[in-house]
Amino acid sequence: MPALAEVIAALEQAYPPELAESWDAVGLVCGDPAEHVDKVLFCVDPVDETVDEAIAGGAQLIVAHHPLLLRGVHGVPADSTKGRLVHRLIRAGVALYCAHTNADSASPGVSDALADAIGLTVLGPLDPREDGVTGIGRIGELPAPEPFSAFVERVANALPRTEPGVYGAGDPARPIRRVAVSGGSGDSYLKRATAAGVDAYVTADLRHHPAGEHLADIAEVPALVGVTHWASEWPWCEQASGVVRAAFAGNVDVHVSTRCTDPWTLRATRTEH
């Protein structure tokens, strides 16, 4: 069995910490680098549900996309939400490692996994770094054009089910071939998507005003497809699990959590009388 430090080294080769944004908090949150690891759980969110799953399944390590301690804290008392999780993890002997914006920018990274799930051939980053290879988001192409209505259905069928579902804004008959995607909150890249000349842009957490202003532009702009934050990043878990599977073939058991940790659990529509 490899040591935790060896598993981290494999993950950081795939998702270099130096690719993380300056405000981010990536890396090992808790755990002894010298301890051995034979089972790893991959998830988007380090929350009660995924900690329960890791402990019940006998995992020694959780690899999560979202940081547990993104904002500075002065303590982790067990009577606080995040402190309770840290105490549970330590008591159970479960380490927590987080790969966030470094996994977003890596190649392949979060948006590559999203593009692959949708069926796109990736052409390059949406917002490239200086090397032109890494960066936030991806631009890709479908094998053949299809109507926007069919494309929205494609996205819905490619991602795990959530209560809010998948929604689109655009002409249902518009042909879609060239597509931009960005896992996680991506409406800050609306202008990038427009400049890239794509037919549609798939991302999460689209806000009312930025989306409305984008669609009201007098220039031709990409149609929008909105998904939930969790669903847009969940495909990365399989990608990341493949990193560990390849590095320690046969010696580490890897599992991808299928527990939906999207916060939205109910949906209602007005009943017309």
Side-chain angles (χ1 to χ4, degrees):
M1 290 185 295
L4 173 58
E6 295 176 90
V7 179
I8 291 174
L11 288 166
E12 292 190 343
Q13 183 174 3
Y15 311 115
E18 58 266 26
L19 293 180
E21 299 294 324
S22 59
W23 49 263
D24 204 3
V26 303
L28 187 63
V29 176
C30 63
D32 183 347
E35 290 290 327
H36 289 96
V37 173
D38 66 8
K39 184 175 289 188
V40 185
L41 179 73
F42 293 82
C43 63
V44 175
D45 297 300
V47 292
D48 279 318
E49 293 88 344
T50 47
V51 171
D52 288 343
E53 187 175 4
I55 294 173
Q60 295 86 32
L61 170 63
I62 295 174
V63 176
H65 180 49
H66 290 148
L68 177 64
L69 305 174
L70 180 58
R71 295 175 176 83
V73 297
H74 300 289
V76 284
D79 60 353
S80 68
T81 301
K82 294 179 184 292
R84 183 181 70 250
L85 285 178
V86 171
H87 280 260
R88 288 190 64 204
L89 289 165
I90 293 173
R91 287 170 181 156
V94 180
L96 172 62
Y97 181 88
C98 300
H100 192 211
T101 54
N102 52 324
D104 289 330
S105 283
S107 179
V110 171
S111 291
D112 293 279
L114 174 57
D116 184 64
I118 294 171
L120 302 174
T121 298
V122 171
L123 304 176
L126 174 62
D127 185 22
R129 297 170 69 95
E130 290 182 2
D131 60 13
V133 176
T134 60
I136 300 294
R138 293 293 182 268
I139 297 170
E141 282 188 346
L142 291 169
E146 62 189 32
F148 182 55
S149 59
F151 180 70
V152 174
E153 290 292 334
R154 170 192 286 267
V155 175
N157 291 328
L159 298 181
R161 180 186 178 278
T162 61
E163 285 303 320
V166 174
Y167 47 93
D171 179 355
R174 177 178 179 174
I176 304 298
R177 178 75 185 273
R178 191 176 173 93
V179 178
V181 302
S182 183
S185 302
D187 62 17
S188 61
Y189 297 101
L190 286 168
K191 292 189 183 300
R192 283 272 183 184
T194 300
V198 299
D199 303 312
Y201 179 40
V202 182
T203 191
D205 302 339
L206 286 166
R207 293 169 295 167
H208 177 86
H209 293 295
E213 291 167 5
H214 165 82
L215 295 167
D217 199 313
I218 59 173
E220 185 174 24
V221 297
L224 300 180
V225 181
V227 300
T228 70
H229 197 116
W230 172 80
S232 75
E233 295 176 331
W234 183 80
W236 170 80
C237 296
E238 182 60 39
Q239 180 196 98
S241 72
V243 170
V244 173
R245 189 183 294 113
F248 306 101
N251 292 317
V252 178
D253 190 9
V254 299
H255 291 269
V256 171
S257 176
T258 57
R259 299 192 184 190
C260 178
T261 51
D262 196 280
W264 316 114
T265 58
L266 291 174
R267 179 178 59 181
T269 55
R270 176 177 171 144
T271 302
E272 299 295 338
H273 297 288

